[in-house]
Amino acid sequence: MRAFAYTRADTPRAAAQAAEATGTKFIAGGTNLLDLMKLDIEQPSRLVDVSRLNLRDVTDTPDGGLHVGALVTNTDLANHPRVKSDYAVLTRAIVAGASGQIRNKATTGGNLLQRARCPYFYDTNLPCNKRDPGTGCAALRGLSRTLAVIGTSDACIAQHPSDMAVALRVLDATVNTLKPDGTARTLTLDEFYRLPEDTPHLETTLEPGELITGVTLPPPVGGTHLYRKVRDRASYAFALVSVAAIVDGDRVRVAFGGVAPRPWRVPDAEDAYARARADGRADALIDRAFEGARPTEENAFKVPLLRRTLKAVLAQAGQEAQA
Amino acid sequence: MTQSPQAPSGADLPRLPVTLSVNGETHELTIDPRVTLLDTLREHLHLTGTKKGCDHGQCGACTVLLDGQRVLSCLTLAVMHDGQSVTTVEGLGTPDHLHPLQDAFVRHDGYQCGYCTPGQLCSSVGTLDEIARGVPSHVTADLDAVRFSAEELRERLSGNICRCAAYPNIIAAVTEVHAAGDGA
């Protein structure tokens, strides 16, 4: 691992100021960043340890929602009584990801910032526009089976790996941040994540030093909360595709994972669902949500797989509503 | 990619103080900030029970208990844990006084080459505690009613890889300890 300077911040504002300089990274759980540093993919010259900041609480908001501190671990968030009762899709998504050991360490803020799992991003011998801008994308004509089918560009077809973020997207969660000058921002996930276009190394709209302080969940919406993840082995693997859904009669909210550079949700598709005949709803939703998809030959299976996964989720929701 | 110009070289890097309580004993160390908790345990404290497998968070061989929770010691820096307590396999039991899980692993042959065993043991201790606290898993049907089962164990121990595939014996050992109620 390359040498880096290490400092510990006492307040969120001090952390943001300490991280403003080029080459600086925050570290909290470290479960993704340290792996990437060992592989020489991430090369920070300074780490600002934010793990002891007072951002560990889950609190009720005045409007009946929930605020989750950026340092709440995945385990604690999944196990929070209000998350389990009012935002179960989030619990289900979190426990579908990683292993128990990692969930005990990984944080809410860090999970949003985890980097792509594209095999070419991980292999420093091969070109990758995300790792080394301007070198090209080896995945376009390479091993692309796991990669994205929509929201991609000619520069990058990597998919976002988070399960948690897919549930946050279906819940309309917002990301709360603090800039070095003390300004706070609130971003929807679509505002937070950039699509790759010709700058796939820029994955979020965070500015230099800007610190994620937490995530806010709006008041709960009724309905059946489900998360279904399809992967190559039964546990401890990233999604080939995943579906986060909140189903309430003829109304449905759906976000998709494993298929795009950010959690993929198309509100128009949910309207198409509501308008379609009962037996054609899943098809209407998938057709609209994946209009313009550009899969490769190797990952073209993901769209029909999503269609069947959504149908399975809707069937499960119907059974649970009857039970 | 090149290193940013302001990055310090290894030789210039200040070593930092860190105090760790490991298996009940306090250690005051001065270490390079790059050193992982795993390498601190093995190379600085000579506690070689904790194993380095993949060193990338994929195999679970380096699992230890940090303030009572199971974590991967390869994916965290020692300097981040000043004042915290770590339990390694050496702190679970001794050859004369085995931890109930160690005893059950021996009787059920929960290992073949044994390399994964320290991580499996620490992970099992953490798992039993998580089930007791009601932490749900991917296979939990009712999020408010976590129940012990072999299915729960298989899912929860999936971050610990055993290439000899002693899994059925590990499940038998942990199940027995859970039934006896002495896994903590």
Side-chain angles (χ1 to χ4, degrees):
Chain A
M1 197 186 296
R2 290 178 194 240
F4 55 82
Y6 170 88
T7 56
R8 196 179 288 157
D10 295 325
T11 65
R13 178 83 188 275
Q17 288 172 339
E20 201 170 5
T22 307
T24 306
K25 284 262 175 190
F26 296 118
I27 188 164
T31 54
N32 187 212
L33 179 58
L34 284 171
D35 181 31
L36 295 170
M37 287 169 67
K38 289 179 183 188
L39 294 165
D40 211 23
I41 295 165
E42 293 274 15
Q43 303 168 334
S45 53
R46 175 183 296 271
L47 290 184
V48 177
D49 180 354
V50 294
S51 66
R52 295 183 183 225
L53 296 180
N54 185 22
L55 300 171
R56 297 203 162 273
D57 294 328
V58 179
T59 47
D60 293 342
T61 59
D63 66 356
L66 210 55
H67 181 264
V68 181
L71 294 171
V72 175
T73 66
N74 285 179
T75 297
D76 288 347
L77 183 55
N79 194 38
H80 190 277
R82 274 210 65 200
V83 177
K84 286 194 285 191
S85 64
D86 293 343
Y87 305 97
V89 65
L90 182 54
T91 292
R92 294 291 183 193
I94 290 171
V95 299
S99 65
Q101 290 99 313
I102 291 174
R103 293 194 296 269
N104 282 340
K105 202 81 173 63
T107 64
T108 303
N111 189 306
L112 293 172
L113 294 175
Q114 66 178 303
R115 310 240 21 224
R117 308 286 170 166
C118 174
Y120 300 95
F121 178 70
Y122 264 75
D123 188 339
T124 54
N125 295 304
L126 293 170
C128 170
N129 289 322
K130 185 182 283 298
R131 172 170 37 74
D132 208 352
T135 54
C137 175
L140 289 171
R141 282 176 293 281
L143 300 168
S144 57
R145 180 174 173 275
T146 61
L147 303 179
V149 299
I150 197 163
T152 56
S153 72
D154 290 340
C156 184
I157 59 169
Q159 85 283 34
H160 197 267
S162 170
D163 292 296
M164 185 191 85
V166 183
L168 292 179
R169 180 67 188 90
V170 91
L171 289 166
D172 281 333
T174 51
V175 183
N176 311 117
T177 71
L178 185 70
K179 292 192 206 181
D181 67 4
T183 317
R185 286 207 294 168
T186 297
L187 303 163
T188 67
L189 286 194
D190 282 356
E191 291 165 346
F192 178 78
Y193 288 117
R194 291 169 182 262
L195 291 178
E197 299 174 349
D198 57 358
T199 53
H201 59 295
L202 302 175
E203 293 169 343
T204 71
T205 53
L206 290 175
E207 295 173 14
E210 190 169 4
L211 175 74
I212 298 175
T213 55
V215 167
T216 301
L217 302 174
V221 289
T224 305
H225 286 224
L226 296 167
Y227 188 75
R228 187 169 291 214
K229 180 172 179 179
V230 182
R231 45 188 161 178
D232 282 334
R233 60 184 184 189
S235 184
Y236 200 19
F238 290 98
L240 288 170
V241 304
S242 71
V243 174
I246 302 175
V247 184
D248 189 4
D250 292 345
R251 290 184 298 118
V252 63
R253 295 176 174 213
V254 188
F256 302 94
V259 291
R262 66 182 180 204
W264 196 252
R265 184 173 173 203
V266 179
D268 281 358
E270 294 163 13
D271 295 339
Y273 174 92
R275 287 193 306 271
R277 286 161 35 122
D279 58 353
R281 283 182 175 152
D283 289 326
L285 196 155
I286 293 289
D287 287 346
R288 176 67 192 95
F290 290 90
E291 213 170 79
R294 297 197 313 165
T296 65
E297 198 174 318
E298 286 195 354
N299 67 22
F301 73 93
K302 285 193 175 189
V303 179
L305 180 58
L306 276 169
R307 198 178 293 274
R308 288 195 286 267
T309 305
L310 178 61
K311 287 179 181 176
V313 165
L314 294 169
Q316 186 182 344
Q319 285 165 6
E320 294 198 5
Q322 283 179 355
Chain B
M1 279 175 111
T2 54
Q3 199 172 359
S4 57
Q6 70 271 35
S9 76
D12 296 339
L13 206 65
R15 287 167 194 272
L16 300 174
V18 60
T19 301
L20 292 174
S21 169
V22 182
N23 302 329
E25 194 176 326
T26 300
H27 298 271
E28 293 184 2
L29 302 162
T30 305
I31 54 172
D32 185 320
R34 288 174 290 183
V35 179
T36 60
L37 181 58
L38 171 62
D39 287 338
T40 303
L41 295 169
R42 291 182 55 85
E43 308 299 332
H44 293 257
L45 301 179
H46 308 294
L47 290 166
T48 53
T50 306
K51 296 296 185 266
K52 183 183 276 195
C54 69
D55 204 28
H56 289 279
Q58 296 173 6
C59 77
C62 69
T63 302
V64 299
L65 299 162
L66 178 68
D67 286 343
Q69 294 204 342
R70 56 179 176 148
V71 301
L72 299 175
S73 60
C74 76
L75 286 186
T76 195
L77 299 170
V79 288
M80 296 180 72
H81 299 293
D82 190 40
Q84 291 188 270
S85 81
V86 179
T87 302
T88 69
V89 69
E90 290 94 339
L92 293 183
T94 65
D96 294 332
H97 298 282
L98 294 178
H99 184 281
L101 276 165
Q102 290 172 316
D103 180 57
F105 267 58
V106 171
R107 284 184 290 100
H108 287 276
D109 191 14
Y111 50 84
Q112 286 178 36
C113 90
Y115 199 83
C116 73
T117 308
Q120 300 275 9
L121 286 164
C122 288
S123 194
S124 297
V125 172
T127 290
L128 290 176
D129 174 61
E130 286 160 23
I131 292 173
R133 288 193 291 122
V135 176
S137 86
H138 180 54
V139 299
T140 304
D142 180 350
L143 296 180
D144 293 317
V146 173
R147 294 196 176 83
F148 182 93
S149 68
E151 187 190 15
E152 284 281 1
L153 270 191
R154 278 194 288 270
E155 164 61 24
R156 290 167 189 266
L157 294 175
S158 64
N160 292 80
I161 310 297
C162 167
R163 295 291 80 162
C164 304
Y167 302 119
N169 299 357
I170 292 170
I171 299 298
V174 182
T175 301
E176 182 183 280
V177 171
H178 174 263
D182 54 3

